[in-house]
Amino acid sequence: MSDATAGEIADRGLAAEGVRRIEWAAREMPVVAQIRERFAAERPLEGLRVSTCAHVTTETANLVLALRDGGAETRLAASNPLSTQDDVAAALVAEYGVPTFAIKGEDHATYFRHLDLAIEHAPGVGPQLTIDDGADLTALLHRERRDLLDGVAGGTEETTTGVIRLRAMADDGALGYPIVAVNEAETKRFFDNRYGTGQSTLDGIIRATNILLAGKTVVVCGYGWCGRGIAMRAQGHGAHVIVTEVQPTRALEAMLDGYRVMPIAEAASEGDIFVTATGDINVIDRPAFDAMRSGAILANSGHFDAEINLEALEAMTEARRELRPFVEAWTLSDGRQLVVLAEGRLINLGAAEGHPASVMDMSFANQALCLEYLAGRHASLEAGVYDVPREIDEEVARLKLAAMGVAIDELTEEQERYLRSWEQGTA
Amino acid sequence: MSDATAGEIADRGLAAEGVRRIEWAAREMPVVAQIRERFAAERPLEGLRVSTCAHVTTETANLVLALRDGGAETRLAASNPLSTQDDVAAALVAEYGVPTFAIKGEDHATYFRHLDLAIEHAPGVGPQLTIDDGADLTALLHRERRDLLDGVAGGTEETTTGVIRLRAMADDGALGYPIVAVNEAETKRFFDNRYGTGQSTLDGIIRATNILLAGKTVVVCGYGWCGRGIAMRAQGHGAHVIVTEVQPTRALEAMLDGYRVMPIAEAASEGDIFVTATGDINVIDRPAFDAMRSGAILANSGHFDAEINLEALEAMTEARRELRPFVEAWTLSDGRQLVVLAEGRLINLGAAEGHPASVMDMSFANQALCLEYLAGRHASLEAGVYDVPREIDEEVARLKLAAMGVAIDELTEEQERYLRSWEQGTA
Amino acid sequence: MSDATAGEIADRGLAAEGVRRIEWAAREMPVVAQIRERFAAERPLEGLRVSTCAHVTTETANLVLALRDGGAETRLAASNPLSTQDDVAAALVAEYGVPTFAIKGEDHATYFRHLDLAIEHAPGVGPQLTIDDGADLTALLHRERRDLLDGVAGGTEETTTGVIRLRAMADDGALGYPIVAVNEAETKRFFDNRYGTGQSTLDGIIRATNILLAGKTVVVCGYGWCGRGIAMRAQGHGAHVIVTEVQPTRALEAMLDGYRVMPIAEAASEGDIFVTATGDINVIDRPAFDAMRSGAILANSGHFDAEINLEALEAMTEARRELRPFVEAWTLSDGRQLVVLAEGRLINLGAAEGHPASVMDMSFANQALCLEYLAGRHASLEAGVYDVPREIDEEVARLKLAAMGVAIDELTEEQERYLRSWEQGTA
Amino acid sequence: MSDATAGEIADRGLAAEGVRRIEWAAREMPVVAQIRERFAAERPLEGLRVSTCAHVTTETANLVLALRDGGAETRLAASNPLSTQDDVAAALVAEYGVPTFAIKGEDHATYFRHLDLAIEHAPGVGPQLTIDDGADLTALLHRERRDLLDGVAGGTEETTTGVIRLRAMADDGALGYPIVAVNEAETKRFFDNRYGTGQSTLDGIIRATNILLAGKTVVVCGYGWCGRGIAMRAQGHGAHVIVTEVQPTRALEAMLDGYRVMPIAEAASEGDIFVTATGDINVIDRPAFDAMRSGAILANSGHFDAEINLEALEAMTEARRELRPFVEAWTLSDGRQLVVLAEGRLINLGAAEGHPASVMDMSFANQALCLEYLAGRHASLEAGVYDVPREIDEEVARLKLAAMGVAIDELTEEQERYLRSWEQGTA
């Protein structure tokens, strides 16, 4: 089904299933739900055009519906060709009237055409606000639709990878409008990246392979928040964890957290399963492939499918064969077999359902509140990459705790005074 | 033994034991050892007067010896009346010639007199550099020896508590010279506060009480880096952990780390052991005491002994009796008994030996390198609280990994280029 | 497709997919593979009729193929109406020629008819050996086909639940032949029940719901080996775990392992997710349902679907609605909603793929070796429930370690002598 | 002080301190306390002579007092020359009137003379019941005081090591009376060995060395209950754990518990700290010493000091020097230094205070109840090694849970009936 107004999706018939799953996710997204309710009453985004590039999942659907109820006109494209949930796309188009351009497994050309369609709300009319996940939409806008740049008041970016790209743009003086790095919110980075990626990456590996992790050696490349989460959950499954890193402080932290740390070339011969989560390219490359045992399993949890150098692996390979969905054995010329999961694309979206709704709840609550913030503030912000305002971060945490039924202490006046004072000390 | 030049310590006869223990600690402090060697060759602190206020432990001794070998004239006083290791103080004075003013268990007046003696290198002559741990020395200098302020080029502060005080001073415009918050170094805060405080706090509790932690409910007040470490190690001992917090983001993190979170008033009736690590006062107060079970154990791991409101407890108490060293039963009027460890002073120094040498290695490497940095840079720095320069942080981590025999990866040129670029994306 | 000789399965067309998945499982089953190779050479089961009742999964297929290659004539029926993997059943029938009677979702009558078909190898001809999983086949044989009992030389039983039933039969003098309790092998119980059930139960819950476990309260009913595994993995996902038990020693162990322990009636109001693993009935019953929060999720990991009293729940329920596959919301008369997973049948087989192959490798290696043992020994064994011979247990572990590339130490002669001696002591 | 009636101890002046510490331990020993109370009322051991060989600690004191209050005439000797707490010995003699023969650090001859004194209640009069910990007293009785054997009605043994020796004696037909292996009680082995040894072994290592365990590699030799506990707690401190084993099933379990497993010769070059807990001799021997890094730390947690082959190490050693109490550096001819803790004697008693009272509570409750059982039953028991009766085990667990304030579920009649039945199954 394709229609520049209504969207382009795989199968409208999946809409009912999509609605059911979107509602299921809503149960685990009480913070977005509360914001959606307020937005419906206050309409802070009234009439604003929003172009959203995100994984088309049940959670994204809940964000988009909050924006819609807040008055925004939203268009949505996928941020990854493989991660679209076709039933969700169908529901957005057929039941909720949100123009959505996303088909699971779409090819390269379609992927970028869909981004174009999400950018252009009407011929020659672009967005006033953007939401991005990996900075593909933002980059496209800056590269090919500079005519629409002036109309953009601001945007947000969801991922580490995207923020790295945007900072590089800003350093080059190439960034055309202010973007809030939602990724840097404590309630995003600490939760979504660590707990969300942690659980869902292992979930993806298990769904794809159904192997027992206890007793296996899992090599985690990268010890940022995502890598920390993956390592923590792999250990929680009884695996031996080895971490590889390039930053000394992180490497040291991994050591003291009880993992072994070594260069990838050395880890290669010890690992049963390898997972990349660095935001960089070719983290696992030829020398590592050379050293791996036959049967080693390779998965990527970073945003782009460039962390495992599959081109280099291809050059060593004689035959490829799918063993299970998302599980492909690559037989090398020397007879060894390496097993690549989800074609090296992000495993938690490829082979599982992405982050659980309850962590996306916080990321997307930040998205919604940051968009509201930009809508009200954009006149005063210059082009650049901005942090999420502290008060938004705290508000998201407060709403979440309340939804979990958790009460916490408050500082007494005396305690606040003490923290402000400096005369007290050893008494 | 007292002598304004040579120091004031408990018992010179303990010096040999002190030397032996200082050397033992040195084995676990390879980073400070490497810096000490370089300092001895380069003498970057030649002739500078340094006033140091720190826990007088084997690790501090190693720091002070590095400064001495770097050319500094150092005077040392305790940063806590209870934490002094008398044999170390003896060794510093008798074997290493470092004027030291510290006696374990010294009273309030002595404590402050000792700070005075550490400040004044000769009549009317103050320090050019200060090292502080809790900001008592810095506060005293600003309050009572303003005559010496002008001569101070810079200083460092070791603790969270101290940094809070100094920031308050800076906000009041009251801070007289630039101070580097060593506490904020990643290689300090991430390691010393978390792994060091974590292990040593539990160690202190176990040495004091010899109770089995498995199956006990441990309430950790505060989920900063220290609290995280304490919770992690308590769980590592098989305890059930409850966290209390005032900050929503931290409370949420504690929840997702697998701990229960609730207000202290509610936790009070569930806990077997309570540990405070907040940097604030009266965190455990009357309402909590009222709710606690008889036999509950109270310990503090924060810098000052103000986190448990012992005055309020005193008012409820009919009798106190020491059960073991550092273990005192307070019998309340209602018949319940609460057990206070180490008089509410910091348990890891009071009942154990403080942080293990290997974490102090990193904190004190930061101290030494920051002092060197200040010595070279002070002319150009205004009064204020400064972060540890990133390159010092990385250097410390690099030296530590090397000492542990751990190699890590380095970014290839291609990878660095990728991180700087923004045009690449989904291909 | 139905044929008393060839089997009765859902869809022959799934055979190719089944073969692929059976081969994938074979990679993780090196012990069974080694045994299969030896069996093919030695034919220890030549001509023996084996009736197998087991979950029809890729792993069972590998066991059955080892028996076939060992010379046995095997017939296979499902041990649970919901757990059959239709592609595996198809592959067994169409590709491997093993008569298999199993259709995922078959009704009660079909289930028992299938057991009958697995028992009767030809009209009036029963098995010489049985393999059972839950004792349904064995009970049926004793209840309805007593005519065939005499011909049975021996059997094995895979599960705790089955062993409980068989012991009850033996105590009643009702057991007709010797049965080896494979479940009691160390290499079964310690691994399959703990690591296999642990991982796969959590996997089933996550696949069904996609919820984040970190921060959730998971109530595990029963702290046998299965319950231990579930609790361990739930904690490994960052959940708070509460255990309920009836046995004091186990309850105490759960406490000291760091979990909270309380009666189910009390746990009911705290839990977000409930999992039963006791082998008993009505473990979660009306009083617990009454106390649960709306939204609570109920799953069963025990063999039979009797652990959660769904009849009692039905009586409280006004409406049921499927939210996702295997996820059904039961709306109670009081407005609360409880969420039942996989209809209370075992979640790891219902919503995921059952135990990972690598643990089944050990269970099924025990099965194969015990069958070989019975084939050679049956004349000498009386009716009763037997332990797995220690040497089989050790052999399985030895083969597994070898397959994992793990070497271990061996006792020196001196050490063996020491262990046999009693004269040595404090010297 | 020495007196064949009243005892032989180091210093009567320590009695007051001993009393205080015995009372502190009593708080953590509610089960023994309850039994003591009942014993005082029922006097089940009236007039029986009991010879006890045990670590002379605060917990043992509480056991001995329960026996005394139960009517027994108890004599006590140390079960290890290094583990005696002199203040406790003093208190027993001076305050409680229990003849005690134990001096911390006593030499070999004194140790055995003390055992003799504990055996002989009066000239030519031996015990009717024995309590042993390592089987030294029992062996001595069988070797040198066969004249007294006939009078012995029964005994108990506390340790794995002792049980191994006694089983060897029984196999040789050399055992003269029935002995209950308290070690085999679930409430002993599962708790004391695992949680008690786990915590106290790490405690001993930390007290001796004050080193940070996070990031260190700890090699645990033996994966019995003690080894499991040590590995679990080492990991709980953030250490990397390597396990060595001789038994395949245990080695496999260690792997799946997330530890690495390898032969000691291989582990030797990776370890920072080595701990033995096998019950066998020369577990760490010359080939391992050869491979160790300079600075490696060696500790033993097994009963006898024979697990580390110190004779072999002595032969490689040029010089020994004490660095801290219980910490001795052995400088080898090749220049490397190995660090031996507590002279290879059991580290948790040597350098710390032994098991926490709350686990000893259960072991010693078993001891008391088994002695009562033997007192009532001995006529009917033949010489041999017996298990603790199941009902004693359950009783101990029940008393302990009650003391912890933990309630558990009870089987309903319906549930009990179900467990006894075998006709129910898949319905």
Side-chain angles (χ1 to χ4, degrees), chain B residues 20 24 27-28 199 203 206 209-213 216 233 236-237 322-324 337 353 356 358, chain D residues 20 24 27-28 199 203 206 209-213 216 233 236-237 322-324 337 353 356 358:
Chain B
R20 238 173 18 157
W24 170 256
R27 295 174 168 240
E28 290 282 313
Q199 175 172 312
D203 181 24
I206 291 174
T209 64
N210 200 40
I211 65 171
L212 183 76
L213 291 176
K216 291 285 196 305
R233 290 298 166 252
H237 275 88
E322 196 187 53
L323 301 177
R324 283 165 54 107
Q337 241 185 26
E353 300 176 60
S358 77
Chain D
R20 235 173 17 157
W24 170 255
R27 297 174 166 239
E28 290 282 312
Q199 175 172 312
D203 181 23
I206 291 174
T209 65
N210 201 40
I211 65 171
L212 183 76
L213 291 176
K216 291 286 195 304
R233 290 296 167 252
H237 274 89
E322 196 188 52
L323 301 178
R324 282 163 57 107
Q337 242 185 23
E353 299 176 60
S358 77

Side-chain angles (χ1 to χ4, degrees), chain C residues 143-191:
Chain C
R143 212 166 46 222
E144 318 218 332
R145 298 306 305 263
R146 304 194 63 85
D147 56 311
L148 305 177
L149 263 186
D150 267 5
V152 187
T156 62
E157 167 57 43
E158 174 79 6
T159 67
T160 309
T161 304
V163 170
I164 290 172
R165 294 176 79 192
L166 294 170
R167 293 233 163 92
M169 287 172 75
D171 289 352
D172 286 4
L175 190 63
Y177 55 88
I179 295 193
V180 178
V182 167
N183 182 63
E184 305 299 290
E186 263 193 52
T187 45
K188 201 284 184 182
R189 187 176 73 214
F190 275 28
F191 297 93

Side-chain angles (χ1 to χ4, degrees), chain A residues 222-274:
Chain A
Y223 203 63
W225 290 113
C226 289
R228 281 180 184 99
I230 296 166
M232 178 167 74
R233 290 299 166 249
Q235 191 178 53
H237 275 88
H240 317 247
V241 175
I242 295 174
V243 169
T244 76
E245 245 302 338
V246 295
Q247 237 184 273
T249 48
R250 286 181 174 177
L252 200 48
E253 194 181 358
M255 276 298 288
L256 297 205
D257 281 344
Y259 308 118
R260 286 194 295 154
V261 175
M262 59 186 74
I264 179 66
E266 202 178 311
S269 64
E270 296 215 25
D272 294 304
I273 300 166
F274 297 79

